[in-house]
Structure formats: C-alpha cells, structure tokens
Amino acid sequence: MNRVSSYIMPVKISDDKTMLIHGYSGAMDVEEDALAQSLHKGDVANLDNESAEYLIKRGYVTNKTAEEEKAYVLRFAAALMKKDRLLYDSYTFAVTYNCNFRCPYCFEKNCITPGSKTKAMTPDLTNKAYAAIEKLQKDKQQPTKAITLYGGEPLLGENYENVRYIVEKGIEKGFKFSAVTNGYDLEHYSTLLSPEKIGSIQVTIDGTADTHNQKRRHYLGEPTFGKIVNNIGLALKNGVRVNVRFNTDKTNFDQLTELEQYFDSLGYTADKNFRIDSAKLDNYDDSLSPEVKKCFFTQKEFIKKHEELNFKYGWHDLQTYSTLYSAIKSRKPLPYKGNFCSSQTGGYVFDAFGKIYPCWEIVGDKNFIVGDYSGDQIVWDNDKIDHWLSQTIFNYKECQSCKCALLCGGGCPAHNLDRHRCISMQEIIKNAAQRAYNKLKIES
C-alpha cells in the first residue's frame, strides 16, 4: 500500500509553487501548490497514474511504512559514516594555548594556566605530529593535504619561528595551511601569508570599533579593532582568503551593515578573497542570568533578521545554501551525510603538549584526550575514542525520525555531550531553499 513519505520537507517559494525536498532520496522538485497540498494531506488515492509514477520514482510516495523509512534512514546514515571514516580525515595543530586576548565568552579560559602560557609546538613535537599523521593517513583512501592552525592564538608574534617550522615542514610534505586567528599579530607573519603557505584565515570581529573593543579584549587593555582591520588588509594584499566571522547576538546585530559599509570604504569587499560570516552566538551555559539569556537569538529569529536585512554575504548556515544551490543548478541529487563534522569520522587536533583531541571545541579539556603522540608511537585511549564516535544521530530519539537528519548529521557532538541541542535544521533548509531558488531564477 502506497503512502506519502514521512521525509518530505515542503518549502513555499512563490504564491503558487512549493519546493519539495526529500530527506533521503536526494530529490528536489518545484511543484504546484495543489500537488504539495495533496501530499501534505496524505492524499495519494486520487493521483493520476503519471503523477503517481513520478512521485514514487522521486521518493515522495512510498510503499515503506513509517518505521521502515526510519530504519532505512538509519542504515543510510551508518553507511555514509562508514564511507567517510574510510575516506577522509582532518588535521589541526593547536600551536599554543596562550592568547593575547581575554574575550569574555572564550571557552578555553581554563586552559590558559601559568604552565601553558609559554608552551608552543616545538620542532621536535612538530616532527612527531607529522609522523603521526603519516601513520594515520595509511588508513585513509583520500588523505587530506590541509592543516588548520589553531590555539589559543596560533599566530602570536613571539611564536613566529615555531609556526614557520610547522609551515615549511608541512609544505615539504605537500600540505597547505589555514588559520583561525584573532589577527592582532598578523604583521609578524607577512612572509608566511600567501596562497602557497597560510592561504586562508578566519578573523573574528564582533561589531564596530567600540563594541568590538569591549568584547575582543587585549590582555593589556588596549584597543584591538584598528590593528586587526589593518592586518586584514595586509592578508588580502598577499592574496590570502579572509573570512571575517561576526559573532551575532541581539546586542550587535544592527552593526553588521555598518561594519560592511566600513569594509566597503576600505575596498576590502571588492576583493574576491574577502567575505563576512555572520554566525549566531549560542548559549551553552545554563547558569547565565535570564537577562543575559535574552541576548541570544533563536534560530528562527536569527534567520528572520537576516531576511529583513538582505545581507549579501548571507549567514553561517552550515553550507546548506551552497549545497542546495549546487544540487539544483547541476541537477544532481542532494548529497547527504551521516555525521555532523569530521571529528566523528577522522578529526585529529594535535596540541603543544603532545596530546590529541577529536575536536577543537573541546581542545585543552583533559577529559577528552584521545591520544598521546609525544613518544615514538601514538598511544590511544580507545574507550574515549569510542565514546566520542558514538555521538551520532543514533543516540538521539528526535534525530532518528527527523526529516532532515541526513542533511544535519545530528548537530555538533561537542555541544551535545550533556544533552541534545537541536539546531532547527528545517528553518535553515527553508531559508536556504528560498535563497537558492531566487538566485537561480535571476540567473536564468
């Protein structure tokens, strides 16, 4: 007996048309509202043969029960995860836990202890990290040639020689580099900032000058905005891709346009290597006061604000817009995933103390050390590895039957450790589908 699939995501895209997105078949179709309404009501008995045949082919109508569909999605997710664990890996070097900023929202505050402030990855430890990567890559069919530099602040001026050794040794082995940096000491790295070396950077700016200087504080108390902006210009001049991350909440959202206009006046936005990533700040601290909690956007509020603003760079949507746009434009099925990020399939963060973590969201927390590479052999903590890799959609009842589980992957495992926090993926998909359709309509 045929029935309407439980995994249809309808998105209204015009007065009389709806985009249908299927949660596991890969199908995306623009249909008349009448047909979409019939599917919404579960009415398949009155479909003509041609329509019924097409809808069955695309997965919108199925002979599977709801439980059979759910079981299929979970098998699909398991197969995708198994494939990714065989194929891919990702590497991050936490060069140091030291930082010249004291941002109030930093999750690594407890890592900045007297014993960690002066420690940076030495040449000896760097060599051991590369030896460890060589061993890890033997098990991967498509080993990556990219390394992210992270911290603390990875590009402290005082650590230039350490970073230079990391980069030059990595280039010998065919790696290219990106960095997550506060941008304050970038002028010390002008010889390493290039497409062939450190080819891309992410720099956080949290508002216009006054707001940014309050949130992104230098440990000496001096303002940071102007120096960072100048260093962004240096990076662009060197051909480096610059992603300015704007951590957004209700206190600074209205400054997003003003900040873009400021970058316009400097000529930055005319550079193809420049973009702004508006990223929603989330609350993971239940101890915050009700007044502080009110400063955070819900996902729906965050999306609505950007729709009203019509910000040309869009916002941090887990690449959902680009995924949907590419699938529609190329007329290929949607690509799905069984996990949220590479930490669940082969992510390795090497720190300056010879420890390995699965994810930079929990780096520095000794409870999450999965390995030690300081000796001649990697010593793994298999129990912690297994616990981390088990943080998948299989763990969460609400994810197991969610229509968008294979587009979401269950959410960030680091943020789900104490309880599952839904990222409202359907709201993200709705906005992304509307944007992709409108852009393609303009292009055609």
Side-chain angles (χ1 to χ4, degrees):
M1 176 71 70
N2 286 333
R3 54 181 283 276
V4 175
S5 171
S6 303
Y7 286 82
I8 300 174
M9 291 171 273
V11 178
K12 185 78 171 171
I13 54 171
S14 70
D15 290 341
D16 58 350
K17 294 188 184 298
T18 296
M19 182 182 293
L20 303 177
I21 302 171
H22 198 272
Y24 64 79
S25 75
M28 298 175 69
D29 293 273
V30 176
E31 300 291 352
E32 299 292 336
D33 275 352
L35 179 58
Q37 286 296 323
S38 294
L39 292 174
H40 178 70
K41 295 174 183 176
D43 182 10
V44 296
N46 296 320
L47 292 171
D48 61 79
N49 289 338
E50 184 178 351
S51 295
E53 184 178 334
Y54 180 78
L55 293 172
I56 291 170
K57 180 181 178 181
R58 302 292 283 170
Y60 304 121
V61 173
T62 180
N63 60 8
K64 295 184 179 73
T65 66
E67 283 302 311
E68 287 172 338
E69 280 197 290
K70 175 181 169 181
Y72 178 84
V73 168
L74 292 177
R75 291 197 303 272
F76 195 175
L80 289 170
M81 186 171 289
K82 183 178 180 180
K83 180 201 73 172
D84 285 349
R85 287 178 180 173
L86 286 171
L87 292 178
Y88 308 120
D89 49 7
S90 70
Y91 302 108
T92 299
F93 285 1
V95 178
T96 180
Y97 289 115
N98 195 12
C99 186
N100 48 1
F101 280 22
R102 297 294 182 266
C103 304
Y105 55 70
C106 179
F107 72 90
E108 286 186 19
K109 280 183 277 190
N110 294 332
C111 299
I112 306 175
T113 61
S116 65
K117 280 186 177 180
T118 59
K119 186 76 172 177
M121 286 187 76
T122 62
D124 178 62
L125 209 53
T126 298
N127 292 337
K128 289 180 177 179
Y130 282 123
I133 289 174
E134 188 174 343
K135 292 176 183 177
L136 289 166
Q137 290 194 325
K138 288 179 180 178
D139 297 328
K140 298 293 181 177
Q141 295 181 19
Q142 295 182 18
T144 184
K145 285 298 180 183
I147 293 174
T148 301
L149 303 178
Y150 195 72
E153 170 49 43
L155 303 184
L156 287 173
E158 65 207 54
N159 290 335
Y160 171 79
E161 287 300 327
N162 304 71
V163 175
R164 181 185 63 79
Y165 186 86
I166 290 169
V167 172
E168 290 182 354
K169 183 62 66 172
I171 289 172
E172 290 176 11
K173 297 177 179 295
F175 288 96
K176 290 189 177 182
F177 294 84
S178 61
V180 179
T181 172
N182 60 38
Y184 192 80
D185 280 353
L186 277 185
E187 74 275 12
H188 297 280
Y189 288 84
S190 59
T191 59
L192 295 180
L193 292 172
S194 72
E196 297 77 25
K197 296 178 181 178
I198 302 176
S200 67
I201 59 172
Q202 176 183 293
V203 179
T204 298
I205 291 184
D206 276 352
T208 51
D210 288 343
T211 301
H212 172 91
N213 288 333
Q214 290 175 20
K215 291 191 173 189
R216 306 285 290 173
R217 302 170 186 165
H218 195 276
Y219 80 102
L220 293 176
E222 56 195 41
T224 62
F225 182 85
K227 193 167 185 287
I228 293 170
V229 169
N230 288 338
N231 281 334
I232 288 173
L234 169 66
L236 291 172
K237 185 178 179 181
N238 285 13
V240 172
R241 286 181 286 115
V242 178
N243 183 46
V244 171
R245 182 182 177 92
F246 185 92
N247 287 321
T248 308
D249 62 19
K250 293 178 182 178
T251 67
N252 67 351
F253 181 84
D254 292 338
Q255 297 177 20
L256 186 56
T257 300
E258 189 177 345
L259 186 66
E260 183 188 10
Q261 291 170 347
Y262 177 63
F263 286 132
D264 279 344
S265 70
L266 295 174
Y268 291 2
T269 55
D271 193 310
K272 61 180 175 54
N273 286 324
F274 179 87
R275 66 166 287 110
I276 303 173
D277 180 19
S278 174
K280 181 170 74 73
L281 269 179
D282 289 305
N283 173 32
Y284 302 112
D285 185 354
D286 293 333
S287 68
L288 294 177
S289 70
E291 286 303 310
V292 173
K293 289 179 180 179
K294 288 179 183 178
C295 295
F296 295 94
F297 286 118
T298 66
Q299 189 68 268
K300 195 167 187 176
E301 289 172 336
F302 179 71
I303 293 171
K304 184 178 180 181
K305 290 289 283 185
H306 281 85
E307 287 176 340
E308 292 170 352
L309 185 65
N310 195 26
F311 184 52
K312 75 174 183 180
Y313 291 102
W315 45 276
H316 188 66
D317 69 348
L318 307 174
Q319 298 182 322
T320 307
Y321 162 73
S322 59
T323 297
L324 268 61
Y325 174 83
S326 297
I328 298 170
K329 189 175 180 68
S330 63
R331 297 182 177 273
K332 291 182 178 179
L334 272 173
Y336 293 116
K337 58 185 182 181
N339 55 283
F340 181 77
C341 70
S342 61
S343 72
Q344 297 160 287
T345 57
Y348 306 95
V349 183
F350 298 85
D351 83 354
F353 291 87
K355 308 304 181 185
I356 302 174
Y357 296 84
C359 164
W360 62 29
E361 291 284 340
I362 42 79
V363 69
D365 187 332
K366 294 180 180 179
N367 294 313
F368 298 102
I369 295 172
V370 297
D372 188 311
Y373 72 99
S374 60
D376 294 332
Q377 300 289 331
I378 308 174
V379 179
W380 295 108
D381 187 327
N382 291 315
D383 289 340
K384 288 185 178 177
I385 292 172
D386 291 342
H387 175 73
W388 183 263
L389 295 181
S390 69
Q391 306 300 310
T392 68
I393 62 174
F394 301 97
N395 279 24
Y396 312 116
K397 187 176 181 180
E398 58 268 46
C399 291
Q400 292 177 12
S401 54
C402 179
K403 297 177 181 181
C404 50
L406 295 179
L407 283 166
C408 167
C412 174
H415 297 155
N416 290 340
L417 287 168
D418 58 342
R419 72 174 189 274
H420 183 252
R421 293 176 168 88
C422 180
I423 60 175
S424 303
M425 191 67 183
Q426 289 201 50
E427 295 291 338
I428 296 173
I429 291 170
K430 176 183 174 182
N431 174 270
Q434 291 168 341
R435 288 165 57 203
Y437 176 81
N438 290 333
K439 183 177 181 183
L440 287 163
K441 191 175 180 181
I442 292 171
E443 291 175 349
S444 63

